[in-house]
Amino acid sequence: MTYVEGFVVAVPTANKEAYRKHAADAAPLFKEFGVSRMVEAWGDDVPDGKVNDLKGAVQAKPDETVVFSWFEYPDKATRDAANEKMMSDPRMAAMGGDMPFDGKRMIIGGFDSIVDDSTGGAMGYADGYVLPVPDANKDAYRALAEKASQVFRDHGATRVVEAWGDDVPDGKVTDYARAAHKQDGETVVFSWVEWPSKDARVAGWEKVMADERMQPDGSEVPFDGKRMIYGGFAPIVEA
């Protein structure tokens, strides 16, 4: 299944076009390295949380917007080889010297997909999620995610991906562990739901929330929902 390199970053809102161009210009290079799909999605509906949220995850300032993005690879070996090439390619070094955002606050990690359901079709909007799941609950989480994926796709979503943390490093300023308030014995999950448009997402969510399949069935939820952080994002680069 797909291997995912997931990113969350704070970008000065005034630098939106500069960021989009920076990412679009880099896309051919990433493809050369083995990236099969690259998505950069600009924060559109990113709520404040009571415990944590995506803004706090990257220490976003009032004049910054959260970007939720990812690379897709056919497997981990391709991703690992790509990262080696990126570290040694002088073109990457030149690109890194002119980034329109604070790279020190970007959180990054490698994730192995455990659910990847797609109906096909273009993506016009995405819901992005980061959450901690107890390691012992991995199978229960996958089963719940597979059930929810069917509901989302029945109500207009075109793809659901749930990716289990595999290579998620600690950072000096920010990282996924701090973003999700991860505890010992937990793993961070990076996931997203694709929709054909924001309108489809809004209409779809109303139907999802009303669907009886999403109602509690008496079994214990296999993660702490209070520490799940999420938001709605509009793609600005997809390559």
Side-chain angles (χ1 to χ4, degrees):
M1 296 177 76
T2 303
Y3 194 86
V4 176
E5 192 91 70
F7 310 86
V8 184
V9 60
V11 179
T13 304
N15 289 356
K16 180 178 181 179
E17 177 54 26
Y19 181 86
R20 186 206 63 76
K21 185 177 186 304
H22 185 271
D25 289 347
L29 184 57
F30 293 136
K31 182 178 180 181
E32 178 185 323
F33 292 150
V35 175
S36 57
R37 184 178 182 224
M38 166 186 170
V39 174
E40 299 277 355
W42 191 260
D44 171 71
D45 179 16
V46 183
D48 295 334
K50 293 182 178 179
V51 178
N52 51 342
D53 53 44
L54 285 171
K55 297 171 187 174
V58 290
Q59 299 180 13
K61 301 173 184 177
D63 62 347
E64 293 179 325
T65 296
V66 175
V67 172
F68 187 92
S69 62
W70 66 89
F71 292 167
E72 296 179 32
Y73 294 95
D75 50 49
K76 183 180 179 180
T78 304
R79 176 264 196 174
D80 290 346
N83 279 353
E84 287 188 14
K85 294 173 185 175
M86 291 179 193
M87 293 297 292
S88 61
D89 195 300
R91 294 172 294 177
M92 287 296 298
M95 197 176 304
D98 188 30
M99 297 189 299
F101 62 95
D102 179 8
K104 297 188 297 294
R105 288 183 285 133
M106 178 174 68
I107 58 177
I108 181 173
F111 301 82
D112 194 16
S113 63
I114 56 174
V115 173
D116 189 351
D117 291 340
S118 175
T119 60
M123 180 186 71
Y125 202 83
D127 282 305
Y129 307 87
V130 175
L131 66 151
V133 179
D135 295 338
N137 292 353
K138 182 177 181 179
D139 289 341
Y141 180 81
R142 180 193 287 112
L144 179 65
E146 289 173 343
K147 176 183 175 182
S149 174
Q150 180 65 56
V151 177
F152 276 104
R153 290 189 293 108
D154 284 350
H155 296 307
T158 57
R159 189 182 182 203
V160 177
V161 175
E162 300 272 357
W164 189 264
D166 168 71
D167 179 15
V168 185
D170 293 334
K172 293 183 178 180
V173 180
T174 53
D175 54 39
Y176 279 107
R178 278 176 275 192
H181 293 195
K182 185 179 93 64
Q183 300 173 4
D184 290 343
E186 293 182 329
T187 293
V188 175
V189 170
F190 180 95
S191 64
W192 70 88
V193 178
E194 299 182 17
W195 303 90
S197 66
K198 183 176 180 180
D199 286 346
R201 179 252 199 174
V202 171
W205 261 109
E206 290 183 3
K207 296 174 183 176
V208 166
M209 296 304 292
D211 195 302
E212 62 181 13
R213 292 172 292 175
M214 295 295 284
Q215 303 307 310
D217 59 5
S219 58
E220 184 178 349
V221 177
F223 64 94
D224 180 5
K226 296 188 298 294
R227 288 183 285 138
M228 179 175 69
I229 55 179
Y230 56 91
F233 299 84
I236 56 174
V237 175
E238 182 180 2

